[in-house]
Amino acid sequence: MSTQDDNTRRDAIPGAPASEAPSVEEPTEPRLPLVPKPDQSGPDPYSPTGMASRDDHGAAAQQGEHLTTAQGVRVSDTDHSLKAGPRGPVLLQDHHLREKIMHFDHERIPERVVHARGSAAHGTFRSYGSAAALTCAAFLQKDVETPVFVRFSTVLGSRGSADTVRDTRGFAVKFYTEEGDFDLVGNNMPVFFIQDAIKFPDIIHAGKPHPDREIPQAQSAHDTFWDFVSLHTEAQHHTMWNMSDRGIPRSFRMMEGFGVHTFRLIDSEGATTLVKFHWKPRAGVHSLVWEEAQLAAGVDPDFHRRDLADAIESGAYPEWELGVQVFPDTPEQTFEGIDLLDPTKIVPEELAAVQPIGILRLEANPSNFFAETEQVAFHAGHFVRGIDATDDPLLQGRLFSYLDTQLTRLGSPNFSQIPINRPHAPVNDMLRDGFHQDAVHQGVAPYRPNSLDGGCPFVAGEDMSAFIDVPHELAASAKVREAPASFDDHFSQARLFWISLSPVEQDHVAQAYTFELGKCYEQAVKERQLQALANIDPVLCARVATGLGLPAPEPTVPLADPDPSPALSQVGRTWPVTGRSVGIVAGPGSDLAAVRDVRDAVAAAGLVPLVIAATGGTLEGDGGDPVTVQRTFVTARSVELDAVLLAGASSMAPDAEVAQDTKAAAPTSPDVDPRVALLISEAYRHCKAIGGWADASGVLTAVGASPSDAGIVILDNASEAWTGVLELMGSHRAWDRFPA
Ligand code: HEM
């Protein structure tokens, strides 16, 4: 007997663990292996040496009906060790026991030193061809489609840390092009903390937990981080981005991505151009508010991971346009006075527009987290012909770092043969042997020159699509440990960012600095950071100083006077809302026909409806189809929802007692369930759209809100109320509701 019939499974929200519902009883007969869920995919079938392969990884991956040992021998019992009699002792000859425990003992590999917490998806990149004039890269020619694997991550936290912490997010894309792999290993912020890779261990050691107590986890709100960035002021621009709403994205789907460094493109004639890569999300750039981020870290630490997987499963495929800012490759490598080799600087989009060159769409979830998301190995130095590095000293250091770290993390030099890392282009590298060698190489001459293997592999001749090491003239210089003088400006672009934000975004920045510095112990660290803020903006500095109870220092450098860059603000536009979640709070008195209609309209608009009621099960009684409840007053929390609809009043549920649910302590009126009051008051405070019909107004007044406030639509007609909310959601939040 199935616990969920087909109908309820169809209404179910994304997240079902398997493609078929299980029976309550333990199965007694093997059944054919379950197919993966429709949203899931694995690495494409390629051989360890990049040849299209008939070996379907899915079929190979333990889909059989009967349990075997690692040698393929069927076993009849895996619950009891082989013993000398039922009371033991256990016998040394029990190979099945030994093999099972040995393998389990070695299941863990080191997590990434940075970006340990991440989630990923498969997709396709389609090139518009608009970059074809700049680069001969085959995957950037018109209408070429390239499979990709994309991993998003936080930087500081461990693998098990929460998704919604304040941090930079990684945005790494592996393009499996026909000319080999190109990895664009970027972040959701266009600048970096340091100008030279030699300082990477310093910034990361400062941001990671304190080495004595190993706290705090996945946080920059502690003394060592602020000690470093206040002493090493080139970090101030990136720090300002982290303190802004960009540090707490609403979703991976709603983040911009940046290659950060300037890269060099090479066309088929050998002419070069400098570019910066940008990913622009079709869903717009949106963030959480800080309280939501904190609540989500506890209520749903997997908030971003779940959001990405659910969106893909429900068909709301995330999309980004790839674009480039294009600069002439001049000897100075500057543009409008901005040093293109300094990774702490942006070029405002108003000075160099981002020109779209292709579209990325994520269409499938991984089918195995470890095999794919954990074992994928990106490298900032994986270029294909037509794209190359510049002399940015941060990028140059990265070119060394990734191979090195992956050798340790993945345990052998053959990690490029792991299925998710296999190129989709033939590999004839003459690299041989080593732990975990998957390829069975042929021939006797893995060296060049040779005559025994007919001279193969030959190096590519002209016009044979070889990688291009484009000659690049270097200015005569001396060997020094120095940075160019232009790298000394540490404050002007932090100020540019600050003055480009809307007042509400500036409020959030001031609040974030006040929170983070408020969590520091050392007065000297706070004072030093206030000095840096004074050099960025005296108003910001004064606001943070007030919060810390400290005097605001005077600037020690002249304040820069840049033109604001409106492109840096997230406020003031409207965006598609597909894949967002809408809570529908229903109760015994709700008009179920209206609930059904609105639920179906939400789903039809490409959003995820979550019906919330006092208890689980179904709502029924009006003669129509039962309405499946996806969340109860115990399990629902506002942070999971982008908007809330109230299907009438919400009377007290029988378990609305603090002893049963501490949330029931929320202050309210006797007519409203306190958990619903809490949900609505949080949604109200976080400036989310709220809609309702019938007697919904009473819930709002119970939490001190008014149905006529900004971002609230209470109407007699349920469908019209939903339409009003849908329109409001396009601007992400009811910005006018934030206190002035
Ligand atoms: C613009 C600056 C940088 C950006 C945008 C960046 C971005 C990233 C991203 C997105 C990842 C995660 C890759 C994944 O999902 O597996 C990553 C990992 C990593 N990065 Fe960076 N990074 C930067 C600078 C550096 C520097 C300067 C170093 C070292 C000198 C470095 C060392 C590492 C290491 C060791 C990993 C872990 C790689 C692994 O274990 O697979 N990064 N970086």
Side-chain angles (χ1 to χ4, degrees), residues 462-547:
E462 256 181 54
D463 299 330
M464 293 178 77
S465 300
F467 185 80
I468 305 167
D469 285 305
V470 72
H472 173 62
E473 218 163 280
L474 299 177
S477 192
K479 188 168 77 178
V480 290
R481 287 191 189 273
E482 272 178 25
S486 64
F487 280 35
D488 289 345
D489 164 21
H490 297 173
F491 300 114
S492 70
Q493 286 215 340
R495 180 165 175 73
L496 162 70
F497 184 70
W498 166 255
I499 63 169
S500 302
L501 299 181
S502 65
V504 60
E505 291 170 301
Q506 288 188 334
D507 287 344
H508 292 171
V509 170
Q511 180 203 31
Y513 276 108
T514 312
F515 175 89
E516 298 249 328
L517 291 167
K519 297 280 268 188
C520 290
Y521 185 88
E522 296 295 352
Q523 195 75 353
V525 169
K526 299 181 201 190
E527 288 177 14
R528 209 188 296 130
Q529 178 57 31
L530 282 177
Q531 184 60 64
L533 292 183
N535 292 349
I536 295 167
D537 187 85
V539 174
L540 169 63
C541 178
R543 290 178 65 178
V544 178
T546 305

Side-chain angles (χ1 to χ4, degrees), residues 472-728:
H472 173 62
E473 218 163 280
L474 299 177
S477 192
K479 188 168 77 178
V480 290
R481 287 191 189 273
E482 272 178 25
S486 64
F487 280 35
D488 289 345
D489 164 21
H490 297 173
F491 300 114
S492 70
Q493 286 215 340
R495 180 165 175 73
L496 162 70
F497 184 70
W498 166 255
I499 63 169
S500 302
L501 299 181
S502 65
V504 60
E505 291 170 301
Q506 288 188 334
D507 287 344
H508 292 171
V509 170
Q511 180 203 31
Y513 276 108
T514 312
F515 175 89
E516 298 249 328
L517 291 167
K519 297 280 268 188
C520 290
Y521 185 88
E522 296 295 352
Q523 195 75 353
V525 169
K526 299 181 201 190
E527 288 177 14
R528 209 188 296 130
Q529 178 57 31
L530 282 177
Q531 184 60 64
L533 292 183
N535 292 349
I536 295 167
D537 187 85
V539 174
L540 169 63
C541 178
R543 290 178 65 178
V544 178
T546 305
L548 298 176
L550 291 172
E554 290 299 316
T556 53
V557 297
L559 287 184
D561 186 21
D563 290 332
S565 166
L568 296 174
S569 169
Q570 299 177 218
V571 178
R573 279 161 284 174
T574 56
W575 304 94
V577 292
T578 43
R580 292 190 168 229
S581 51
V582 178
I584 306 171
V585 183
S590 296
D591 170 358
L592 289 185
V595 171
R596 262 182 230 105
D597 287 350
V598 168
R599 179 200 59 186
D600 294 348
V602 172
L607 291 85
V608 178
L610 297 171
V611 175
I612 303 168
T615 57
T618 52
L619 298 173
E620 47 196 280
D622 68 343
D625 287 343
V627 175
T628 308
V629 174
Q630 281 98 14
R631 295 287 186 277
T632 67
F633 294 170
V634 171
T635 58
R637 200 69 198 253
S638 67
V639 288
E640 194 184 2
L641 309 169
D642 291 295
V644 191
L645 299 171
L646 290 160
S650 166
S651 55
M652 204 70 74
D655 67 340
E657 292 170 28
V658 183
Q660 300 212 45
D661 183 356
T662 43
K663 296 202 299 300
T668 183
S669 85
D671 302 327
V672 179
D673 190 285
R675 283 83 51 91
V676 174
L678 179 67
L679 187 105
I680 295 298
S681 63
E682 283 174 357
Y684 183 83
R685 195 158 69 237
H686 302 151
C687 303
K688 291 173 176 170
I690 300 173
W693 53 90
D695 305 320
S697 305
V699 182
L700 286 163
T701 32
V703 301
S706 158
S708 60
D709 286 346
I712 297 181
V713 195
I714 306 289
L715 297 172
D716 291 336
N717 181 298
S719 304
E720 286 171 16
W722 158 239
T723 311
V725 163
L726 182 62
E727 198 178 318
L728 286 169

Side-chain angles (χ1 to χ4, degrees), residues 375-404:
Q375 293 201 107
V376 66
F378 296 95
H379 190 327
H382 286 168
F383 294 116
V384 288
R385 77 190 295 265
I387 308 179
D388 205 354
T390 57
D391 298 334
D392 173 339
L394 186 68
L395 176 57
Q396 292 285 321
R398 294 180 73 195
L399 301 181
F400 273 82
S401 176
Y402 290 73
L403 271 185
D404 217 12

Side-chain angles (χ1 to χ4, degrees), residues 31-112:
R31 57 129 198 246
L32 287 175
L34 278 186
V35 292
K37 297 204 304 171
D39 61 286
Q40 291 179 326
S41 172
D44 288 336
Y46 278 80
S47 79
T49 55
M51 305 298 287
S53 155
R54 282 189 304 275
D55 171 21
D56 174 351
H57 303 298
Q62 313 249 334
Q63 296 278 299
E65 293 175 356
H66 291 101
L67 182 71
T68 70
T69 66
Q71 311 311 312
V73 178
R74 280 193 182 171
V75 293
S76 60
D77 184 338
T78 191
D79 298 335
H80 301 91
S81 313
L82 193 65
K83 294 192 289 269
R87 297 172 69 83
V90 173
L91 300 180
L92 188 60
Q93 81 173 69
D94 188 350
H95 178 69
H96 176 46
L97 165 71
R98 161 104 174 86
E99 184 185 68
K100 184 175 176 182
I101 301 286
M102 175 283 291
H103 199 277
F104 170 77
D105 288 344
H106 296 88
E107 279 177 5
R108 292 290 167 271
I109 64 169
E111 65 176 34
R112 289 168 177 81

Side-chain angles (χ1 to χ4, degrees), residues 323-400:
V324 282
Q325 287 180 297
V326 182
F327 318 106
D329 192 355
T330 59
E332 305 75 44
Q333 300 175 95
T334 60
F335 183 79
E336 301 267 341
I338 299 165
D339 194 331
L340 297 173
L341 299 192
D342 178 352
T344 67
K345 302 289 190 307
I346 62 163
V347 176
E349 292 182 29
E350 292 74 12
L351 297 183
V354 177
Q355 303 174 28
I357 64 171
I359 179 104
L360 162 70
R361 185 178 212 213
L362 297 182
E363 297 150 327
N365 286 308
S367 48
N368 185 275
F369 187 92
F370 181 83
E372 303 175 61
T373 311
E374 197 59 19
Q375 293 201 107
V376 66
F378 296 95
H379 190 327
H382 286 168
F383 294 116
V384 288
R385 77 190 295 265
I387 308 179
D388 205 354
T390 57
D391 298 334
D392 173 339
L394 186 68
L395 176 57
Q396 292 285 321
R398 294 180 73 195
L399 301 181
F400 273 82

Side-chain angles (χ1 to χ4, degrees), residues 208-216 224:
K208 285 275 187 183
H210 291 206
D212 50 356
R213 300 181 177 196
E214 214 189 35
I215 51 176
T224 55

